[in-house]
Each structure stands twice: as C-alpha cells, then as structure tokens.
Amino acid sequence: MTDSSEPGPGGGAARGCADVGVLVVEDEAIAAQAHAEYVRRVDGFSVLGIAKNASQALAAMTGQIAGLEARRIDLLLLDMNLGDGHGVTLMRALRARRIRVDVIAVTASRDMKVVQDALSLGVVQYVIKPFTFPVFKSKLEAYLEFRQRFEPSPAGEDMTQTEVDAVLAALAAAPPKQAPKGVPEAMHCQLVAAIEAGGALSAAEAGETVGVSRVTARRYLESMADAGVLSRQPRYGAAGRPVLEYSLAARGPGRSPGAAPA
C-alpha cells in the first residue's frame, strides 16, 4: 500500500478538507503513479493512497491500513484486472459489507459482461485505457458535479423529476478528445511519469529516460501533445536552433508541473 496523502501539484492541502478522497487501485506501478498524478491535477480531489491489488484495496476500505482512515475514501479509481482478483469481485465484496464508496473503473477491459457487471454494482464512470488527461479530467469533473447535486438537499428530502434528470445527466459528460494515436499504454504512462519526475523534457531526453530512440520518442510526444496530454514549447539558452521540449499540459489558468517558465 502506497501512501500518497501528501499534496502534489494542485493536490490535497491546497484545496481544503472538502476534497473527494481517492484511492487508486492499480497493479502496474507506473500506471498507478500516472493516474494519481492525473487526479492531483483536477481541483476538488485528493489522492489518499495507492493499492496495488484487490487485497490491499479491501484492507484499506475496512480500516486495516495504518494511517489511512477508511471513512475518508469517497472514490475508488479501480482497474478491473488486478493481480490477485478482478475488480468486479472486489466491488461485490465491498457491497456485501455494505461499504458505501463510489467507483470509477479505469481499465483496458472492454468485455461487455464486465461492463454490465460493473454498472450493476454501481460504477459511476467507465474509462477505457489508454486515455488522455482531458478525457480523464472530464470524467472526474462530471462525477464531482454529480456529487455536488446531492449536497443541498437533506437526506430524506424528495427530489423532483427535473432534479433527478439533472443528476443523471451530470454523469453523461462527453469526453473532449480521444487517446493519443499510436502510443502504447505502457509508453504513455512512462512518458507522463518521466516528465512529472524530471520536468519538461526534449525528445532526446525523453527517449533516453524510457529507452527508445529520439525519433520514436518525438513521435510519441507529438501524438500526446496533439491529444492535449502534453504541451510543447521551445527551450532557449544554447547556441543554434532552440530545442522543442514537452511538459504536462496546463490545467486551467495555471501551468502544469514541469512547465517551462514564461
């Protein structure tokens, strides 16, 4: 179990105690860190930890992880294919224990039965890997609006048809863009993690970090920039033609972590 409660860029402490507490459940370490970083870049959410399998997630949700209060976990970002079980099985275990937690499936599984089972168990969003940050952000923001629409009305108060329709419509936000074309999911996650760790990188630097050629890295980086995951800008300071470098795309009016100074 990884503790990710300390605020990253745009994370936890900067947004206050009303944030949605998120547990990332993902068995691939690079993907888990990338998903956690994506969450930190969306206002209104705080990453509380990362569980690398279903057993750790169940332990976290039943108060068996030291330093992590189960009651603070509002949302699971749940991969369906975990090393020690299936995401649907974990959801059934949680529901059997009457544990109330919302779930957003983040998975490569496109099997119709899996989708049907997940929806029947209360998954509020289903995000298929690989995906861009704008797609992920739109899903989280739609979920946040869905939660907020319940806040003004006390428990037990009747809702009108219009209010019910508005709540359900909040989850139907259309993703703005598709995943970067031609970028394998593992490489996508490695590049995001490399830029998050080291700041803006050139194609040569990125290629050296993830173990591919400069030309291949540049192709991947350009595709990710076109999809809105990364931003590109010239790097000045050395003699000759400026080098193009890539950073995480800006999140709103601010700049992304690792972005070059203005």
Side-chain angles (χ1 to χ4, degrees), residues 148-159 163:
Q148 290 172 341
R149 285 183 180 274
F150 284 107
E151 290 180 357
S153 299
E157 183 173 317
D158 291 341
M159 297 180 69
E163 289 172 332

Side-chain angles (χ1 to χ4, degrees), residues 90 134 224-225:
L90 173 61
M224 292 169 70

